[in-house]
Tab-separated table of all heavy atoms in Angstrom:
chain	number	residue	atom	x	y	z
G	68	ARG	N	3.604	0.415	-9.049
G	68	ARG	CA	3.835	1.463	-8.082
G	68	ARG	C	2.543	1.785	-7.306
G	68	ARG	O	2.476	1.923	-6.103
G	68	ARG	CB	4.433	2.745	-8.712
G	68	ARG	CG	5.859	2.539	-9.167
G	68	ARG	CD	6.552	3.757	-9.501
G	68	ARG	NE	5.850	4.608	-10.476
G	68	ARG	CZ	6.058	4.587	-11.787
G	68	ARG	NH1	6.893	3.701	-12.329
G	68	ARG	NH2	5.310	5.362	-12.572
G	69	GLY	N	1.476	1.931	-8.081
G	69	GLY	CA	0.197	2.218	-7.459
G	69	GLY	C	-0.298	1.195	-6.638
G	69	GLY	O	-0.830	1.332	-5.455
G	70	ALA	N	-0.169	-0.087	-7.045
G	70	ALA	CA	-0.573	-1.232	-6.301
G	70	ALA	C	0.196	-1.420	-4.993
G	70	ALA	O	-0.378	-1.592	-3.902
G	70	ALA	CB	-0.416	-2.536	-7.111
G	71	VAL	N	1.529	-1.236	-5.021
G	71	VAL	CA	2.335	-1.362	-3.862
G	71	VAL	C	1.987	-0.258	-2.836
G	71	VAL	O	1.958	-0.501	-1.645
G	71	VAL	CB	3.884	-1.331	-4.215
G	71	VAL	CG1	4.703	-1.175	-3.021
G	71	VAL	CG2	4.182	-2.672	-4.940
G	72	ALA	N	1.749	0.950	-3.335
G	72	ALA	CA	1.357	2.039	-2.413
G	72	ALA	C	0.152	1.710	-1.637
G	72	ALA	O	0.085	1.891	-0.414
G	72	ALA	CB	1.199	3.345	-3.224
G	73	VAL	N	-0.862	1.078	-2.262
G	73	VAL	CA	-2.071	0.668	-1.609
G	73	VAL	C	-1.792	-0.512	-0.700
G	73	VAL	O	-2.367	-0.533	0.478
G	73	VAL	CB	-3.198	0.285	-2.571
G	73	VAL	CG1	-4.403	-0.283	-1.927
G	73	VAL	CG2	-3.592	1.505	-3.368
G	74	LEU	N	-0.949	-1.446	-1.069
G	74	LEU	CA	-0.690	-2.625	-0.292
G	74	LEU	C	0.127	-2.291	0.943
G	74	LEU	O	0.159	-3.137	1.876
G	74	LEU	CB	0.128	-3.642	-1.117
G	74	LEU	CG	-0.683	-4.257	-2.298
G	74	LEU	CD1	0.182	-5.137	-3.061
G	74	LEU	CD2	-1.949	-4.923	-1.835
G	75	ARG	N	0.643	-1.131	1.059
G	75	ARG	CA	1.371	-0.757	2.325
G	75	ARG	C	0.385	-0.462	3.473
G	75	ARG	O	0.758	-0.334	4.609
G	75	ARG	CB	2.221	0.450	2.054
G	75	ARG	CG	3.415	0.087	1.246
G	75	ARG	CD	4.668	0.722	1.852
G	75	ARG	NE	5.851	0.011	1.296
G	75	ARG	CZ	6.622	-0.737	2.022
G	75	ARG	NH1	6.340	-1.030	3.229
G	75	ARG	NH2	7.692	-1.291	1.494
G	76	ARG	N	-0.895	-0.456	3.087
G	76	ARG	CA	-1.950	-0.302	4.208
G	76	ARG	C	-2.484	-1.624	4.582
G	76	ARG	O	-2.878	-2.428	3.728
G	76	ARG	CB	-3.090	0.580	3.676
G	76	ARG	CG	-2.523	1.945	3.203
G	76	ARG	CD	-3.639	2.958	3.360
G	76	ARG	NE	-3.091	4.240	2.926
G	76	ARG	CZ	-2.811	5.256	3.741
G	76	ARG	NH1	-2.938	5.045	5.044
G	76	ARG	NH2	-2.363	6.403	3.323
G	77	GLU	N	-2.463	-1.912	5.889
G	77	GLU	CA	-2.797	-3.215	6.417
G	77	GLU	C	-4.142	-3.674	6.051
G	77	GLU	O	-4.407	-4.862	5.652
G	77	GLU	CB	-2.588	-3.238	7.889
G	77	GLU	CG	-2.723	-4.566	8.510
G	77	GLU	CD	-2.495	-4.645	9.991
G	77	GLU	OE1	-2.439	-3.530	10.633
G	77	GLU	OE2	-2.258	-5.716	10.492
G	78	THR	N	-5.164	-2.829	6.156
G	78	THR	CA	-6.566	-3.212	5.852
G	78	THR	C	-6.704	-3.589	4.371
G	78	THR	O	-7.369	-4.574	4.029
G	78	THR	CB	-7.520	-2.112	6.251
G	78	THR	OG1	-7.350	-1.810	7.673
G	78	THR	CG2	-8.982	-2.448	5.996
G	79	ALA	N	-6.075	-2.754	3.462
G	79	ALA	CA	-6.165	-3.091	2.101
G	79	ALA	C	-5.503	-4.479	1.842
G	79	ALA	O	-6.085	-5.291	1.020
G	79	ALA	CB	-5.470	-2.011	1.234
G	80	ARG	N	-4.410	-4.742	2.484
G	80	ARG	CA	-3.760	-6.073	2.328
G	80	ARG	C	-4.733	-7.115	2.844
G	80	ARG	O	-4.820	-8.183	2.198
G	80	ARG	CB	-2.468	-6.131	3.131
G	80	ARG	CG	-1.303	-5.446	2.591
G	80	ARG	CD	-0.112	-5.460	3.521
G	80	ARG	NE	0.271	-6.785	3.948
G	80	ARG	CZ	1.086	-7.536	3.243
G	80	ARG	NH1	1.634	-7.148	2.147
G	80	ARG	NH2	1.391	-8.722	3.716
G	81	ASP	N	-5.369	-6.926	3.932
G	81	ASP	CA	-6.311	-7.906	4.508
G	81	ASP	C	-7.472	-8.191	3.547
G	81	ASP	O	-7.897	-9.347	3.418
G	81	ASP	CB	-6.749	-7.481	5.905
G	81	ASP	CG	-5.721	-7.502	6.970
G	81	ASP	OD1	-4.641	-8.173	6.680
G	81	ASP	OD2	-5.916	-6.912	8.012
G	82	VAL	N	-7.950	-7.186	2.890
G	82	VAL	CA	-9.044	-7.365	1.907
G	82	VAL	C	-8.590	-8.292	0.815
G	82	VAL	O	-9.245	-9.255	0.434
G	82	VAL	CB	-9.570	-6.000	1.327
G	82	VAL	CG1	-10.471	-6.186	0.147
G	82	VAL	CG2	-10.151	-5.153	2.423
G	83	LEU	N	-7.342	-8.034	0.304
G	83	LEU	CA	-6.855	-8.878	-0.780
G	83	LEU	C	-6.639	-10.246	-0.316
G	83	LEU	O	-6.884	-11.213	-1.033
G	83	LEU	CB	-5.578	-8.232	-1.395
G	83	LEU	CG	-5.779	-6.930	-2.120
G	83	LEU	CD1	-4.455	-6.253	-2.463
G	83	LEU	CD2	-6.637	-7.158	-3.419
G	84	LEU	N	-6.045	-10.465	0.837
G	84	LEU	CA	-5.822	-11.815	1.367
G	84	LEU	C	-7.132	-12.539	1.505
G	84	LEU	O	-7.180	-13.752	1.273
G	84	LEU	CB	-5.041	-11.729	2.684
G	84	LEU	CG	-3.640	-11.240	2.540
G	84	LEU	CD1	-3.015	-11.021	3.958
G	84	LEU	CD2	-2.780	-12.273	1.788
G	85	TYR	N	-8.150	-11.841	1.987
G	85	TYR	CA	-9.502	-12.499	2.096
G	85	TYR	C	-9.984	-12.939	0.762
G	85	TYR	O	-10.418	-14.095	0.634
G	85	TYR	CB	-10.495	-11.474	2.660
G	85	TYR	CG	-11.845	-12.024	2.845
G	85	TYR	CD1	-12.339	-12.450	4.080
G	85	TYR	CD2	-12.809	-12.013	1.789
G	85	TYR	CE1	-13.588	-12.986	4.235
G	85	TYR	CE2	-14.051	-12.501	1.909
G	85	TYR	CZ	-14.471	-13.017	3.175
G	85	TYR	OH	-15.699	-13.489	3.308
G	86	LEU	N	-9.838	-12.119	-0.302
G	86	LEU	CA	-10.319	-12.516	-1.624
G	86	LEU	C	-9.490	-13.605	-2.236
G	86	LEU	O	-10.008	-14.448	-2.941
G	86	LEU	CB	-10.353	-11.294	-2.545
G	86	LEU	CG	-11.373	-10.212	-2.090
G	86	LEU	CD1	-11.245	-8.976	-3.013
G	86	LEU	CD2	-12.783	-10.749	-2.132
G	87	ILE	N	-8.183	-13.579	-1.930
G	87	ILE	CA	-7.275	-14.649	-2.463
G	87	ILE	C	-7.711	-16.020	-1.748
G	87	ILE	O	-7.828	-17.051	-2.446
G	87	ILE	CB	-5.879	-14.361	-2.171
G	87	ILE	CG1	-5.316	-13.298	-3.109
G	87	ILE	CG2	-4.950	-15.638	-2.310
G	87	ILE	CD1	-3.947	-12.736	-2.804
G	88	GLU	N	-7.973	-15.991	-0.489
G	88	GLU	CA	-8.240	-17.201	0.262
G	88	GLU	C	-9.702	-17.710	0.050
G	88	GLU	O	-9.875	-18.916	-0.129
G	88	GLU	CB	-8.167	-16.994	1.775
G	88	GLU	CG	-6.691	-16.799	2.197
G	88	GLU	CD	-6.570	-16.374	3.682
G	88	GLU	OE1	-7.637	-16.286	4.358
G	88	GLU	OE2	-5.472	-16.080	4.097
G	89	ARG	N	-10.657	-16.781	-0.119
G	89	ARG	CA	-12.027	-17.205	-0.207
G	89	ARG	C	-12.696	-17.007	-1.559
G	89	ARG	O	-13.893	-17.394	-1.768
G	89	ARG	CB	-12.833	-16.506	0.857
G	89	ARG	CG	-12.271	-16.833	2.243
G	89	ARG	CD	-13.258	-16.641	3.331
G	89	ARG	NE	-12.541	-16.981	4.536
G	89	ARG	CZ	-12.701	-16.399	5.656
G	89	ARG	NH1	-13.568	-15.319	5.752
G	89	ARG	NH2	-12.097	-16.684	6.811
G	90	GLY	N	-12.012	-16.272	-2.423
G	90	GLY	CA	-12.576	-16.006	-3.801
G	90	GLY	C	-13.613	-14.878	-3.779
G	90	GLY	O	-13.650	-14.144	-2.776
G	91	PRO	N	-14.242	-14.653	-4.887
G	91	PRO	CA	-15.202	-13.508	-4.976
G	91	PRO	C	-16.172	-13.481	-3.763
G	91	PRO	O	-16.674	-14.538	-3.392
G	91	PRO	CB	-15.877	-13.763	-6.318
G	91	PRO	CG	-14.904	-14.572	-7.064
G	91	PRO	CD	-14.204	-15.423	-6.100
G	92	SER	N	-16.463	-12.316	-3.317
G	92	SER	CA	-17.310	-12.178	-2.158
G	92	SER	C	-18.114	-10.843	-2.167
G	92	SER	O	-17.656	-9.855	-2.761
G	92	SER	CB	-16.445	-12.140	-0.896
G	92	SER	OG	-17.225	-12.031	0.254
G	93	ALA	N	-19.176	-10.767	-1.489
G	93	ALA	CA	-19.909	-9.618	-1.289
G	93	ALA	C	-19.149	-8.787	-0.233
G	93	ALA	O	-18.407	-9.301	0.570
G	93	ALA	CB	-21.370	-9.911	-0.784
Side-chain angles (χ1 to χ4, degrees):
R68 291 192 307 268
V71 167
V73 172
L74 294 176
R75 287 225 163 253
R76 302 208 179 254
E77 186 175 18
T78 301
R80 286 175 55 86
D81 289 347
V82 170
L83 292 172
L84 290 170
Y85 180 97
L86 294 174
I87 286 170
E88 291 172 5
R89 301 202 180 144
S92 179

